Amino acid sequence: MNKKLLLAGLCLLLSPFLLFSQTDRILPQPKTLVAGEGQLNLQPGTVLLAESASARKSAHLFNGLLEVKTGFQLPVQQAAQTTTPVILLEEKIVDGNPEAYTLDITSEGIAIRGGSSGLFYGLQSLFQLVEMQGSEAMVPLVRIADAPAFGYRGIMLDVSRHFFSTEQVKKILDLMAQLKFNTMHWHLTDDQGWRLEIKKYPKLTEVGAWRDSTIIGQYYDFKPFIYDGEKHGGYYTQEEAREIVRYAADRHITVIPEIELPGHSSAVLAAYPEFGSFEVQGGAARGSIAAVNEKGEPLNNEISTQVPGYWGVHYNIYGPTPAAFGFLEDVLTEVMDIFPSEYIHIGGDEVPKDHWETSAIAQKVIKKEKLADEHELQSYFIQRIEQFLNKNGRKIIGWDEILEGGLAPNATVMSWRGEKGGIAAAKMGHDVIMTPNSHLYFDHYQAEDKSTEPLAIGGFLPLEKVYSYSPIPDALSEEEARHVLGVQANLWTEYIGSNQKMEYFLFPRALALAEVAWKTREEKDYASFIRERLPEQLRSLEAQGVFFRIPEAAVTISLDAAAGTHRVQIEPLVAGAKVYYTLDGHKADQTARLYTGPFLAPTPGSGQEPLVLRYITLTPEGRSSNEFQVPIE
């Protein structure tokens, strides 16, 4: 095939200046980018020339994005036509990395080269470069060579605490794909709900997928808890789960399922109490049991048969019994049939040992296997599951608690309680995914003044702190650092029960994470991120109907002591947004002053409090931010 790029329908417009404002909008920022002079008019007749089936699939997905932005799609062809202009998609591994790509927009035309994933990412970058100038779709002349710094770039979506539809999950996958994430960790089971159909055990979804009620407010707001009285739940059929897996794979995203064990199993034991640590007769467990209700009162030697509607660590856990292991192997067999991922996440976190301490069954296993204590029993439990998965060609990932009592031989550790667990695992020669709650728990508040924010679990995680994170701890040697596969943010949904709130907590922090996952520590630049890439990305998110948190503007205040004034400059971080402000201490809304450029603010006299700038940002679509306050001093 003649792969020469034909320009008959690509109109080349020369410009005397370098188009940095247009090329700098790609997020994550490419490794190398050289801006040329001029632009190309991307016309509807231009052909996406894609020889491989994978490239054609990526081309069609690109077209879906392009139509939203421009109103037209490009024809996709496998063979070149001599009179038709083309954008060449050549599937060819670049620098030995299937995720690397090159993108050339030159006077010779447009060409993207890379492996299957690389071509997909090159098209995402091309899409971000498209700019409507009146009715014309323009792209700048540019040469890009790009590749990710980390092979694992993930977001964990918890659908157990609150259930989300397949349509919403797909929307999040679409957004992840645009930002070049390649893994969705799907948290499908927990105390408050089981979300995946298992055909051999129908009560998992008949009983375990539903709770009668959910507490209102924060965990500590009301004692005893006050419940909303509304039944909540839902689950994905196996065909729906397969559809999510296919949808993600088309976007070069692997879905890793999480089936929690041996803790966080209240929803399972509500449906099948016989898989707990005590012999069950008529729904009651025989023998001493340390489970408690939300008031801290004993459960009177009974395993709760209700899916709980309150958060926190629950005492119900699987028993180390042949029946429980057989159940889990049956479940995981069906899970493996749905999810082709190399990894299966098995949880392993927050496992209270009270049941095992008082269970004759558990104590018998400890004695028989010559285990030191219940911690080693947890390790024994996880290693049994790992052996089963390894035999079936899969590997396990677990939260860093799986280090307790001895790490399973082939396990990958997901380090969430800071970096300590990840560092320890890497030094032991185990692979690690960094997801510390200090920097990457997206269920945390986004402002210090919590009264201005929606209800969250706690903590404070602003955009800048996310961006500051580096997945490679200083404590690791160069050899040990090779075990850090990458980075992941976690969105737990105890306090996130709607699509809009999910998007509010994910964005714009997921934009910062995209660069954390794609770039090295030395390549990142927060000032460049918030001024050059973030504004256009947020405008694009709004055009796609994403309910992101409108971030604080970049406010610069300088003092002219001689004149007794301050110069105030406000740069909204959403392209095309307006800012309304006050200086008199009163509320800022759309009746306040419209910011039109830097202004002078007086300095109060001796003994007077500083003035306070209060402002809101109004997006191009008319959404208002929270009100922000900055002292002028």
Side-chain angles (χ1 to χ4, degrees), residues 48-63 75-78 87-92 112-121 123-124 250 252:
L48 282 162
L49 182 60
E51 189 172 74
S52 70
S54 175
R56 289 194 296 278
K57 184 177 290 186
S58 294
H60 287 300
L61 291 172
F62 169 80
N63 263 333
V76 178
Q77 294 181 3
Q78 185 173 2
I87 300 173
L88 175 64
L89 303 179
E90 184 179 0
E91 190 166 336
K92 176 182 179 182
I112 304 175
R113 294 179 175 86
S116 178
S117 294
L119 283 180
F120 181 83
Y121 297 144
L123 282 167
Q124 302 312 304
D250 287 346
H252 297 266

Side-chain angles (χ1 to χ4, degrees), residues 180-208:
K180 305 182 177 77
F181 288 101
N182 65 1
T183 308
M184 185 183 81
H185 169 185
W186 208 7
H187 187 79
L188 290 163
T189 74
D190 216 297
D191 291 301
Q192 294 80 20
W194 180 283
R195 303 292 177 219
L196 181 66
E197 176 190 28
I198 300 297
K199 295 186 183 297
K200 191 169 183 177
Y201 298 94
K203 286 197 292 185
L204 287 174
T205 46
E206 292 170 1
V207 176

Side-chain angles (χ1 to χ4, degrees), residues 338-631:
I338 299 167
F339 297 91
S341 56
E342 177 185 13
Y343 292 103
I344 304 293
H345 202 301
I346 51 80
D349 63 309
E350 297 177 331
V351 183
K353 310 299 192 297
D354 304 64
H355 281 202
W356 287 351
E357 290 171 359
T358 57
S359 162
I361 296 171
Q363 293 303 313
K364 184 177 179 180
V365 173
I366 290 174
K367 183 176 181 180
K368 177 184 177 184
E369 301 296 331
K370 297 182 173 56
L371 306 175
D373 53 23
E374 290 74 25
H375 294 292
E376 287 196 7
L377 179 57
Q378 177 175 335
S379 179
Y380 166 82
F381 196 106
I382 289 171
Q383 289 188 43
R384 282 276 302 257
I385 298 300
E386 183 189 49
Q387 289 168 9
F388 173 75
L389 289 171
N390 287 170
K391 266 194 248 180
N392 285 276
R394 307 300 182 93
K395 299 178 182 178
I396 69 166
I397 299 176
W399 302 106
D400 56 53
E401 285 95 331
I402 66 172
L403 288 159
E404 297 170 4
L407 188 56
N410 303 309
T412 294
V413 172
M414 193 166 272
S415 188
W416 74 275
R417 296 178 299 178
E419 295 182 328
K420 184 178 178 181
I423 292 170
K427 287 183 176 293
M428 294 165 61
H430 286 265
D431 288 340
V432 173
I433 298 159
M434 287 297 187
T435 178
N437 55 1
S438 58
H439 289 75
L440 297 176
Y441 266 45
F442 282 9
D443 56 341
H444 289 185
Y445 284 100
Q446 298 180 74
E448 286 187 282
D449 182 359
K450 296 176 182 177
S451 68
T452 67
E453 289 290 311
L455 175 65
I457 197 168
F460 171 46
L461 182 59
L463 187 64
E464 184 173 6
K465 188 170 184 180
V466 175
Y467 195 89
S468 72
Y469 185 64
S470 173
I472 304 295
D474 293 333
L476 296 181
S477 68
E478 184 177 343
E479 180 62 30
E480 292 163 345
R482 292 194 179 97
H483 287 290
V484 179
L485 303 180
V487 64
Q488 173 177 292
N490 297 327
L491 187 69
W492 301 104
T493 62
E494 287 94 334
Y495 300 99
I496 299 173
S498 69
N499 294 346
Q500 286 189 331
K501 194 168 184 181
M502 171 188 283
E503 293 165 16
Y504 183 95
F505 276 73
L506 273 174
F507 299 98
R509 290 185 291 195
L511 302 178
L513 176 66
E515 294 215 338
V516 170
W518 192 265
K519 298 165 70 65
T520 66
R521 183 189 321 209
E522 295 74 24
E523 291 168 340
K524 290 188 301 174
D525 182 346
Y526 185 67
S528 166
F529 166 74
I530 63 169
R531 285 188 163 88
E532 296 171 1
R533 294 183 292 289
L534 184 62
E536 288 294 338
Q537 290 292 329
L538 293 180
R539 182 169 71 172
S540 176
L541 287 179
E542 185 165 41
Q544 296 177 67
V546 179
F547 195 84
F548 58 88
R549 180 183 187 269
I550 302 168
E552 294 84 345
V555 177
T556 304
I557 300 173
S558 55
L559 171 65
D560 184 340
T565 60
H566 290 83
R567 184 178 184 273
V568 181
Q569 182 173 342
I570 308 173
E571 298 176 69
L573 298 188
V574 181
K578 297 178 181 177
V579 172
Y580 292 89
Y581 72 95
T582 68
L583 297 176
D584 56 13
H586 294 283
K587 178 182 178 180
D589 57 22
Q590 292 179 62
T591 67
R593 293 183 183 181
L594 174 64
Y595 178 79
T596 57
F599 60 87
L600 299 179
T603 301
S606 177
Q608 292 181 298
E609 293 293 322
L611 296 179
V612 175
L613 169 69
R614 300 175 68 163
Y615 70 91
I616 61 169
T617 297
L618 199 70
T619 69
E621 299 294 326
R623 269 191 61 214
S624 176
S625 71
N626 301 327
E627 184 188 60
F628 303 119
Q629 300 186 29
V630 181

Side-chain angles (χ1 to χ4, degrees), residues 61-292:
L61 291 172
F62 169 80
N63 263 333
L65 293 171
L66 187 68
E67 185 173 26
V68 172
K69 183 181 281 191
T70 67
F72 63 81
Q73 294 194 12
L74 305 179
V76 178
Q77 294 181 3
Q78 185 173 2
Q81 298 178 3
T82 57
T83 60
T84 306
V86 299
I87 300 173
L88 175 64
L89 303 179
E90 184 179 0
E91 190 166 336
K92 176 182 179 182
I93 300 293
V94 175
D95 296 331
N97 184 346
E99 294 192 308
Y101 70 93
T102 61
L103 168 60
D104 293 314
I105 309 175
T106 71
S107 59
E108 297 298 318
I110 301 176
I112 304 175
R113 294 179 175 86
S116 178
S117 294
L119 283 180
F120 181 83
Y121 297 144
L123 282 167
Q124 302 312 304
S125 293
L126 177 60
F127 168 71
Q128 291 185 38
L129 288 173
V130 175
E131 181 179 38
M132 295 305 295
Q133 296 179 7
S135 61
E136 302 292 321
M138 311 301 295
V139 291
L141 303 190
V142 66
R143 293 187 174 224
I144 292 171
D146 199 11
F150 296 96
Y152 186 108
R153 306 179 301 281
I155 290 178
M156 187 282 292
L157 183 59
D158 170 23
V159 295
S160 178
R161 275 50 179 269
H162 281 95
F163 177 75
F164 292 89
S165 69
T166 56
E167 289 75 18
Q168 179 65 7
V169 174
K170 287 179 178 180
K171 182 178 181 181
I172 299 304
L173 287 167
D174 284 335
L175 297 168
M176 289 174 61
Q178 291 176 42
L179 298 171
K180 305 182 177 77
F181 288 101
N182 65 1
T183 308
M184 185 183 81
H185 169 185
W186 208 7
H187 187 79
L188 290 163
T189 74
D190 216 297
D191 291 301
Q192 294 80 20
W194 180 283
R195 303 292 177 219
L196 181 66
E197 176 190 28
I198 300 297
K199 295 186 183 297
K200 191 169 183 177
Y201 298 94
K203 286 197 292 185
L204 287 174
T205 46
E206 292 170 1
V207 176
W210 306 92
R211 57 179 183 262
D212 291 337
S213 197
T214 306
I215 63 169
I216 66 171
Q218 237 282 347
Y219 185 89
Y220 299 103
D221 284 349
F222 304 101
K223 289 293 182 182
F225 298 137
I226 298 176
Y227 288 85
D228 62 13
E230 298 178 7
K231 187 173 183 178
H232 178 83
Y235 64 91
Y236 306 96
T237 66
Q238 292 197 1
E239 186 49 46
E240 287 172 332
R242 287 190 177 92
E243 171 59 23
I244 289 293
V245 170
R246 287 191 295 265
Y247 193 89
D250 287 346
R251 289 150 182 81
H252 297 266
I253 295 172
T254 298
V255 180
I256 295 178
E258 180 176 358
I259 305 298
E260 278 272 15
L261 60 92
H264 287 293
S265 53
S266 294
V268 173
L269 297 182
Y272 295 100
E274 61 267 31
F275 299 134
S277 295
F278 302 93
E279 184 180 348
V280 175
Q281 293 185 351
R286 296 176 61 192
S288 177
I289 189 170
V292 296

